[in-house]
Amino acid sequence: MVTIVIHEDRLAGRGTQVSVAAEDRTESPLATVGVVVLAWGDEPWLTSCIESVLASEGVQVDLVVVDNGCRPEDLAAVSGPERFRLLSPGDNLGFAGGCNLGIGALETEFLALVNSDCVVRPDTLRKLVEEARRPGVGPVMASVRIADSPELLNSSGNPVHIVGLSWAGGLYRKENRTEAFDVTAASGACMVLRRTVWSSLEGFDPEYFAYVEDTELSLRSWQRGLSARCVPTAIASHHYEFSRNSTKMYLLERNRLMMIGTLWSTRSLILLAPLLLLVEMLLLGHALRQGWARQKVRGWIWIWTNRRHVQERRRWVQQGTTQPPSVWMQRLTPDLDEELLGSTFMTAVANSFFRAYWRLARKLL
């Protein structure tokens, strides 16, 4: 059961706010943006995040905060709670389920996801909306910057490898672009899309729980002829922390396999099967060296145990695809980032092999 928390002493105030917003819509062309922020565990930046969202200019904001198990003191520290709605599902729904729940409580023209450790600039949501309203555009992400070094990128769009691996594109590099551009996967750290797009894609698959769901949504957009985009002048400062979740590697690998198993076409899976098996063995060896082999194996077990869901999800995704694999899979890359392998030589060798394999496989798609 979901509990919607609205204190009695501010009930009248919220009613007044709703009537004013309705009045404003008849006099102002401002777009309405429903924003979902998830709160889980320690949330030292939650107040800053909420304040920045509510300070957005050029749009009308309806903010929903989903309590996925946040520390009570972090929620209590947020000032002016009458300015947003708090949803308390009573359990941790993960990023995917929490976003689905929050968006289900909104009725706005545009929808936004903002990480609780992100701080957006006053014009960020407006710029994202301007791009998201263009025909043929799906999810649109902000230029996500490292909070302590805002001149450096956290992500300018996430590349996706032919074996499903994905990473933060442009990490720790500078952004010199000023015009919006296509990305393979838009980061859910700060993302806007039209409600009609979200509805047509039916949101996130809650089975992803956390990680990869934004990549999966972006690729499904490309499969339906909608581009994922990044607006480099729409800035969100992210207090980035890679290993906050102790089960991150399990979820990343499990969800990568689920994404491949549902989005890749049958023909592409057959063509890539030897490569996928090789990568699985290499990843297992890497996991053994780094101490997360149990998480890797646990991911395989989950996929097998939940194979019926994967099969049903695959049928649904493939039926909704309008672009052939030879078109949408052009967004995938055979190149790995050097940051992943940690060696210039090994990266060059691996990428030469992946490129040659992909060049041949694409001819047979």
Side-chain angles (χ1 to χ4, degrees):
M1 178 179 294
V2 176
T3 304
I4 301 179
V5 181
I6 301 178
H7 296 294
E8 292 183 5
D9 60 352
R10 70 174 201 258
L11 188 58
R14 180 161 182 80
T16 303
Q17 184 183 20
V18 170
S19 64
V20 170
E23 209 172 276
D24 286 347
R25 288 194 194 100
T26 64
E27 299 173 357
S28 170
L30 296 183
T32 58
V33 184
V35 181
V36 176
V37 173
L38 305 185
W40 171 77
D42 295 348
E43 292 288 5
W45 303 106
L46 182 61
T47 295
S48 298
C49 171
I50 290 174
E51 291 294 335
S52 71
V53 168
L54 293 174
S56 296
E57 299 172 353
V59 291
Q60 288 185 332
V61 171
D62 186 3
L63 174 60
V64 169
V65 176
V66 179
D67 179 9
N68 262 348
C70 178
R71 291 195 315 171
E73 54 267 39
D74 288 335
L75 280 176
V78 179
S79 61
E82 71 279 354
R83 296 176 295 168
F84 63 89
R85 284 175 287 167
L86 177 64
L87 303 186
S88 298
D91 197 7
N92 183 7
L93 303 180
F95 186 82
C99 288
N100 287 347
L101 176 68
I103 287 176
L106 293 164
E107 298 180 354
T108 50
E109 180 184 4
F110 294 90
L111 303 167
L113 308 178
V114 179
N115 273 15
S116 56
D117 54 0
C118 270
V119 176
V120 298
R121 293 187 179 178
D123 61 355
T124 294
L125 293 182
R126 174 182 61 79
K127 289 180 176 181
L128 295 178
V129 163
E130 289 173 355
E131 187 65 26
R133 71 178 356 140
R134 294 177 54 222
V137 173
V140 179
M141 66 172 286
S143 178
V144 184
R145 308 294 182 89
I146 300 294
D148 294 335
S149 302
E151 74 281 5
L152 300 180
L153 287 164
N154 179 188
S155 175
S156 58
N158 299 337
V160 182
H161 197 267
I162 55 177
V163 298
L165 293 168
S166 186
W167 56 92
L171 183 63
Y172 299 125
R173 297 166 193 165
K174 291 188 176 181
E175 178 62 89
N176 298 315
R177 291 167 289 189
T178 57
E179 299 297 323
F181 53 88
D182 285 348
V183 297
T184 300
S187 170
C190 185
M191 172 196 292
V192 167
L193 70 171
R194 284 171 287 158
R195 168 175 291 281
T196 53
V197 171
W198 176 269
S199 297
S200 68
L201 296 171
E202 296 191 15
F204 294 135
D205 177 0
E207 291 297 334
Y208 278 83
F209 191 77
Y211 306 114
V212 186
E213 65 285 290
D214 50 358
T215 300
E216 194 263 3
L217 185 82
S218 297
L219 291 182
R220 283 196 289 119
S221 295
W222 283 110
Q223 286 183 333
R224 298 181 182 212
L226 297 171
S227 61
R229 305 274 285 168
C230 177
V231 180
T233 58
I235 295 174
S237 298
H238 190 199
H239 295 272
Y240 179 63
E241 185 181 356
F242 178 83
S243 57
R244 185 186 182 202
N245 190 332
S246 61
T247 61
K248 183 169 185 174
M249 297 311 300
Y250 156 67
L251 290 168
L252 280 173
E253 277 299 289
R254 184 200 76 170
N255 293 350
R256 176 181 69 87
L257 294 175
M258 182 158 59
M259 180 180 71
I260 292 172
T262 54
L263 269 63
W264 275 221
S265 69
T266 300
R267 188 174 183 82
S268 63
L269 284 175
I270 292 172
L271 291 171
L272 291 172
L275 187 61
L276 291 169
L277 289 172
L278 173 62
V279 168
E280 283 303 292
M281 294 302 100
L282 292 173
L283 282 171
L284 178 60
H286 178 66
L288 281 166
R289 288 192 298 272
Q290 294 210 334
W292 53 274
R294 288 186 178 181
Q295 293 194 50
K296 177 61 180 166
V297 173
R298 183 183 166 197
W300 290 340
I301 294 172
W302 188 95
I303 292 292
W304 174 253
T305 305
N306 293 272
R307 60 191 179 278
R308 178 171 295 180
H309 170 78
V310 176
Q311 291 167 352
E312 292 175 353
R313 177 76 179 177
R314 175 177 176 78
R315 281 193 292 270
W316 179 81
V317 169
Q318 296 299 321
Q319 288 172 359
T321 300
T322 62
Q323 303 296 307
S326 58
V327 172
W328 78 264
M329 292 186 85
Q330 292 183 32
R331 297 301 318 178
L332 306 180
T333 179
D335 292 340
L336 291 172
D337 194 292
E338 187 176 326
E339 293 285 335
L340 298 177
L341 297 181
S343 164
T344 302
F345 175 74
M346 288 301 299
T347 301
V349 171
N351 287 346
S352 295
F353 171 70
F354 284 130
R355 287 172 195 162
Y357 196 108
W358 186 228
R359 192 179 303 118
L360 176 61
R362 285 180 63 179
K363 291 180 180 180
L364 301 175
L365 275 177

